[in-house]
Amino acid sequence: MPEPTAPPSAPFHDEPFPEVFGYASQVITSADEQWIAASWIGYQESRVAVYRAADLSCAHLLTFPLDAEAIDFHPTLPLLSIGLNNGDAYQRVGGLTLFEPDTGHRVDFTDPDRGIEPARWLDDRSLELTFFTWESDCAQLHSRATVVRGDWLGLTPDALDLRTLPRTPLPPDAQVEYLDTEPTRPLLQALAARAGRSYDGLGGVRAVAGLSDGRVLATRGHAVVECWSPDGSLLWSVPAPSGAGGQRIEVAADERTARVAVPGPDSRTRTDFPLVDLSDGTVLDRPSVPFAAALSARTDGVWAIRDTYDRGSETEPPAPPNTRAFAADGTPLGGVHEPDRYDLVPLDVRRCPELLYGRRRREVIAFDPVTTAETVLFPLEPFMVDRPLGRAVYVSDSAGPALLHGRTELVRRTFPAGGVTWTTPLDSEVFALDAHEGVLHALCVDGTLLSVDTTDGTVLDRRALPPYGPVSVHAAPDGTVLVGTTAGQILRY
């Protein structure tokens, strides 16, 4: 059985419509204005969230493995139609879902040969379906059918067979009209204002960090970094000049400054690493490199970057050195250049006193930023060479110093020798890790937050998080676990 969803304490940036992540593709309101439906289409899943218009609470969240291409409310009944399409260029699959928001009744009809884009109500008796498929020569074929009924509520799965409906082919040059709404963010803002709330929909929190005084730092689509007070009010924000927000935050040990990684307007050809004063958001320094780069850091403030631009041509050689190290204040320390940059890959390790790298996909090394000397720590198992360690965090607890890491299982290794002391299998892949006071917190792809004892791997807690797209996690100094979400909320546990 799935774990019950754990309610967080009051989240930061608590906005309505978090189930569609601030990227709704379509928003519609029922004829009686009691219901709001919003759709979101992702890579492997699409969603249709149905909200009560009075208070914007989410009454229903429907998920589909196909694209929810078009949603439409019946002109008089509490009934939502959803046309579905898999988007495949060679083999279309689709369907139609009818959903009654007041009762929760749902019925699904499938078509294994055609996608539906769109489905629309012509009147209170007639539903028009536009089907889409590909011909063998990759020509697009559209056809249309209209279903007329006097009883649309409470249908059963055998009430409609999409495959046998009489369809009328459309001319090859026919323009199919989609149920596009006005731009969704202004519409959601207006609906929120009507309910007495506010909505900015500015997007996800790629990185989050808690400070000792209770303040919380976060990156967002429009901000290099922003700072929230313990009571949830925004203290300051550093705008992102390129429109791309920060992706990683490294807080100095004294918590006076933070180094942030920020991609430029063209993420291939520039990355900024501003140093921000945490008292007021003043940018103290803004070093930059003319290529895409990733940031890693030691606990003493030394930081390093590595060229990550995926060049597709030998005419675009990486700028040497492609791995560079700096003192906390930005002073260059040293660097190395690898013709094959995958020979030296930085490991994603938090809270670590060393800069760790995977060397030639065979071993983990500690990199000295001044002398550029490498100290081999332990070998990598063959199955780990493509993604060495996965996500990782350094701890020093009653069992000694260790690296805790995970992908499809959590592992504890002695540090620096690398001997495995325990493993804990997982039901889902690890998205992010952090640890505090003997507890490891693992944010998993399936939307769960798993907490385990760092010394022996015992599972202490398992929380099913709200469906807001968790993407980042941080264990604050007071033990509060902060989870940044795609929806822009910061959950606190």
Side-chain angles (χ1 to χ4, degrees):
M1 292 181 63
E3 300 292 332
T5 300
S9 52
F12 294 102
H13 200 250
D14 187 17
E15 288 196 329
F17 316 118
E19 291 79 9
V20 291
F21 307 146
Y23 302 105
S25 57
Q26 188 182 1
V27 178
I28 57 173
T29 305
S30 62
D32 60 8
E33 297 188 343
Q34 292 188 27
W35 303 101
I36 300 167
S39 64
W40 170 86
I41 298 176
Y43 174 61
Q44 293 182 320
E45 173 190 271
S46 64
R47 295 179 167 194
V48 176
V50 182
Y51 301 94
R52 301 176 183 90
D55 61 3
L56 307 186
S57 59
C58 185
H60 308 281
L61 180 61
L62 312 180
T63 60
F64 304 92
L66 307 178
D67 294 346
E69 288 287 355
I71 57 178
D72 196 22
F73 273 115
H74 189 278
T76 59
L77 298 174
L79 180 63
L80 179 68
S81 65
I82 305 168
L84 301 169
N85 176 26
N86 70 341
D88 190 275
Y90 301 100
Q91 181 62 52
R92 284 296 168 108
V93 174
L96 170 70
T97 291
L98 297 177
F99 183 74
E100 301 171 31
D102 56 347
T103 66
H105 178 70
R106 169 179 172 171
V107 59
D108 299 292
F109 307 101
T110 61
D111 189 326
D113 300 311
R114 299 168 182 83
I116 293 181
E117 49 175 51
R120 76 178 76 219
W121 295 100
L122 301 179
D123 53 48
D124 59 359
R125 292 172 52 86
S126 307
L127 177 63
E128 179 187 81
L129 305 176
T130 300
F131 295 88
F132 178 90
T133 190
W134 289 100
E135 188 56 274
S136 58
D137 60 356
C138 292
Q140 299 182 16
L141 297 178
H142 286 91
S143 59
R144 186 164 287 161
T146 301
V147 183
V148 180
R149 300 182 62 102
D151 56 336
W152 280 105
L153 296 181
L155 297 187
T156 58
D158 60 356
L160 185 63
D161 188 345
L162 300 179
R163 297 168 297 178
T164 61
L165 289 177
R167 291 184 297 272
T168 301
L170 300 183
D173 58 349
Q175 296 295 316
V176 176
E177 296 183 4
Y178 290 86
L179 297 174
D180 293 331
T181 64
E182 58 190 278
T184 57
R185 184 181 297 175
L187 181 54
L188 291 176
Q189 288 173 330
L191 291 169
R194 188 183 305 174
R197 300 184 64 183
S198 62
Y199 176 78
D200 63 38
L202 291 177
V205 176
R206 296 296 305 172
V208 63
L211 304 179
S212 298
D213 59 7
R215 289 179 298 157
V216 172
L217 305 176
T219 64
R220 203 178 296 280
H222 67 291
V224 168
V225 65
E226 59 189 20
C227 182
W228 296 77
S229 70
D231 65 6
S233 58
L234 184 63
L235 296 175
W236 50 260
S237 178
V238 179
S242 67
Q247 294 188 339
R248 181 159 183 159
I249 304 170
E250 293 291 345
V251 179
D254 60 9
E255 297 189 349
R256 294 182 178 180
T257 60
R259 183 76 62 179
V260 187
V262 188
D266 180 346
S267 60
R268 298 176 302 170
T269 56
R270 185 178 124 202
T271 311
D272 297 332
F273 298 96
L275 181 67
V276 179
D277 187 324
L278 298 185
S279 65
D280 58 7
T282 299
V283 177
L284 305 174
D285 184 27
R286 195 188 291 269
S288 180
V289 293
F291 48 82
L295 170 68
S296 55
R298 295 193 318 201
T299 48
D300 64 358
V302 169
W303 55 286
I305 63 170
R306 179 249 191 173
D307 180 0
T308 59
Y309 177 27
D310 187 13
R311 292 168 175 81
S313 169
E314 293 183 359
T315 63
E316 298 181 284
N322 50 13
T323 296
R324 309 178 187 182
F326 305 85
D329 63 1
T331 302
L333 296 177
V336 295
H337 185 75
E338 294 290 344
D340 181 354
R341 60 198 173 99
Y342 294 105
D343 279 351
L344 188 66
V345 178
L347 305 184
D348 187 5
V349 184
R350 306 175 74 168
R351 306 179 187 270
C352 190
E354 301 284 355
L355 293 173
L356 300 185
Y357 288 79
R359 164 57 78 181
R360 294 188 177 89
R361 304 185 179 185
R362 292 200 305 264
E363 55 204 13
V364 171
I365 66 160
F367 175 72
D368 188 304
V370 177
T371 66
T372 70
E374 300 175 5
T375 302
V376 176
L377 302 184
F378 55 88
L380 287 170
E381 290 87 347
F383 70 89
M384 297 178 63
V385 295
D386 291 331
R387 293 178 54 198
L389 298 187
R391 307 295 184 178
V393 60
Y394 171 89
V395 300
S396 183
D397 54 23
S398 60
L403 287 181
L404 305 176
H405 65 91
R407 290 178 298 177
T408 57
E409 63 181 4
L410 297 176
V411 180
R412 179 183 175 112
R413 293 176 179 271
T414 59
F415 188 83
V420 175
T421 57
W422 58 255
T423 61
T424 297
L426 299 174
D427 297 327
S428 177
E429 190 170 354
V430 172
F431 201 91
L433 285 177
D434 203 7
H436 176 74
E437 296 291 336
V439 180
L440 173 68
H441 304 284
L443 184 63
C444 298
V445 171
D446 64 359
T448 60
L449 179 64
L450 187 69
S451 299
V452 306
D453 188 306
T454 60
T455 61
D456 59 14
T458 300
V459 176
L460 304 174
D461 196 9
R462 188 190 306 268
R463 302 176 179 91
L465 301 177
Y468 303 160
V471 291
S472 54
V473 67
H474 184 261
D478 66 357
T480 299
V481 181
L482 303 168
V483 177
T485 68
T486 304
Q489 293 190 345
I490 302 170
L491 309 178
R492 297 187 287 180
Y493 292 94

